[in-house]
Amino acid sequence: MKWKAFLAATLLMAGSAQAAWPERAITLVVPFAAGGNTDSIARITAEWLTQQLKQTVVVDNRPGANGAIAADFVARAKPDGYTLFMATLPQMAIVPSLQKVRYDPIKDFAPVSIVATNEFALAVHPGFEAKTLPELVDYIKARPGQVAYASAGSGSVSHLTMAMFVKRAGLSMIHAPYRGGAPAIADVVGGQVPMYFANVAEVLPYVKSNRLRVVAVSGEKRSADLPSVKTVAEQGYPGFATETWNGIAAPAGTPKEVVDRIASSLAEAGKDAGFAAKLANIGVSVLCNTPEQFAQKLVEDNKVWATAVKESGASLD
């Protein structure tokens, strides 16, 4: 009977160790450099989790390879709840279709919660004659293969969102890829390229200063920051909707109790007006859904964006 007593003691110690989580600092890995929207969301989330879990959550920026370096690092980390990933849509649903990666976005992660979402805005130069999406479509159809659109780069969410709309509307356009959103916006503001399907947070300052005008937003509902602007769906393309998101994921195999505890803490964040306000200040909307909902979203988005990459012919060359 000694072995039974030993087993019971072992299980008791294991349970106590699990219940004690977290016993030390937690690292939240960010796939981009400090200063951007993802980094800001990560720091707001880390601050909240630090308060809720009574342990320090440290942000670790690991940029490179379109975020694949950070994703691979977390995928291979020990699944003990002490290494988390500030996952974004590109690493989890687009990059694996664009380049060779060592991680599987579905199999190698334990989804915890999508913290924030952000739709896209089809912004045009103020001098562009089209004032609505139907007018813009008519303008482009009258000039097949002559009108260009900017993007943050081939295979970026801004590129693929516009590519999906171009196909849906039956348009022929020129894609002008840039090395990031800043130069793309600069050339639209300067009048070199007439339009850019950009992150709402990117274009908002220019809209407020009347240097850009938005003719449509890509979300399922209107943007809280641009409430007078109709969605693409409202303007004749029902069912069309794209958005990007930032969420917390852990390495696959992380104990369910740990995943659920983090998710529970984030669920409370989703109800907190202060947390939502901090996200709103950087142009994103709070979500904080469940691990099951995040897992379902991952599967759906991998199908949607893999198809978009294939049909757009996007590459990193």
Side-chain angles (χ1 to χ4, degrees):
M1 299 295 290
K2 290 183 178 180
W3 67 271
K4 290 185 178 180
F6 175 77
L7 179 60
T10 301
L11 291 173
L12 180 61
M13 286 189 291
S16 297
Q18 187 61 63
W21 182 92
E23 296 180 301
R24 53 186 169 84
I26 299 163
T27 299
L28 178 57
V29 179
V30 178
F32 303 117
N37 246 35
T38 297
D39 178 67
S40 297
I41 295 167
R43 293 179 188 279
I44 292 168
T45 305
E47 180 183 22
W48 176 269
L49 290 176
T50 294
Q51 295 171 354
Q52 294 292 306
L53 301 176
K54 310 301 181 186
Q55 266 302 348
T56 302
V57 178
V58 180
V59 172
D60 179 12
N61 298 90
R62 290 178 177 261
N66 299 299
I69 289 176
D72 184 66
F73 176 82
V74 176
R76 297 174 186 280
K78 187 176 180 181
D80 55 7
Y82 291 100
T83 303
L84 304 175
F85 186 35
M86 188 78 251
T88 76
L89 171 68
Q91 295 87 54
M92 303 300 276
I94 296 176
V95 171
S97 295
L98 279 172
Q99 66 191 57
K100 186 176 181 180
V101 297
R102 299 197 302 168
Y103 65 90
D104 185 307
I106 304 297
K107 297 179 181 178
D108 291 341
F109 295 92
V112 179
S113 177
I114 294 178
V115 176
T117 63
N118 190 194
E119 59 278 295
F120 290 82
L122 183 50
V124 300
H125 184 272
F128 190 66
E129 62 183 67
K131 300 294 189 292
T132 66
L133 189 60
E135 288 179 5
L136 180 143
V137 169
D138 289 343
Y139 179 91
I140 297 169
K141 283 187 173 180
R143 300 162 179 81
Q146 299 176 43
V147 183
Y149 67 90
S151 82
S154 183
S156 64
V157 185
S158 64
H159 169 213
L160 297 178
T161 293
M162 190 66 187
M164 285 192 284
F165 178 71
V166 165
K167 181 179 180 181
R168 175 73 182 271
L171 305 177
S172 175
M173 298 187 72
I174 301 168
H175 174 215
Y178 286 76
R179 291 184 178 275
I185 289 179
D187 271 11
V188 177
V189 170
Q192 283 77 28
V193 186
M195 67 191 72
Y196 173 39
F197 227 140
N199 189 298
V200 168
E202 286 182 291
V203 303
L204 205 55
Y206 300 94
V207 173
K208 290 180 178 178
S209 59
N210 297 314
R211 289 181 288 171
L212 287 177
R213 177 162 43 81
V214 175
V215 299
V217 291
S218 72
E220 293 182 357
K221 58 184 180 180
R222 297 189 189 189
S223 169
D225 293 309
L226 300 166
S228 65
V229 179
K230 294 181 179 179
T231 66
V232 173
E234 285 180 296
Q235 298 187 68
Y237 301 90
F240 185 95
T242 68
E243 64 179 10
T244 188
W245 47 257
N246 297 76
I248 300 292
T254 299
K256 186 177 185 301
E257 294 81 4
V258 172
V259 170
D260 287 346
R261 185 170 175 193
I262 301 169
S264 177
S265 296
L266 292 173
E268 291 302 313
K271 304 172 188 175
D272 186 82
F275 186 84
K278 288 179 181 179
L279 292 179
N281 284 339
I282 59 172
V284 299
S285 302
V286 67
L287 180 58
C288 294
N289 62 1
T290 67
E292 294 76 20
Q293 289 169 328
F294 189 3
Q296 181 180 352
K297 180 68 171 172
L298 272 179
V299 172
E300 293 171 353
D301 276 0
N302 269 269
K303 293 177 182 177
V304 169
W305 295 99
T307 299
V309 168
K310 182 178 180 180
E311 292 180 346
S312 70
S315 72
L316 297 177
D317 297 331

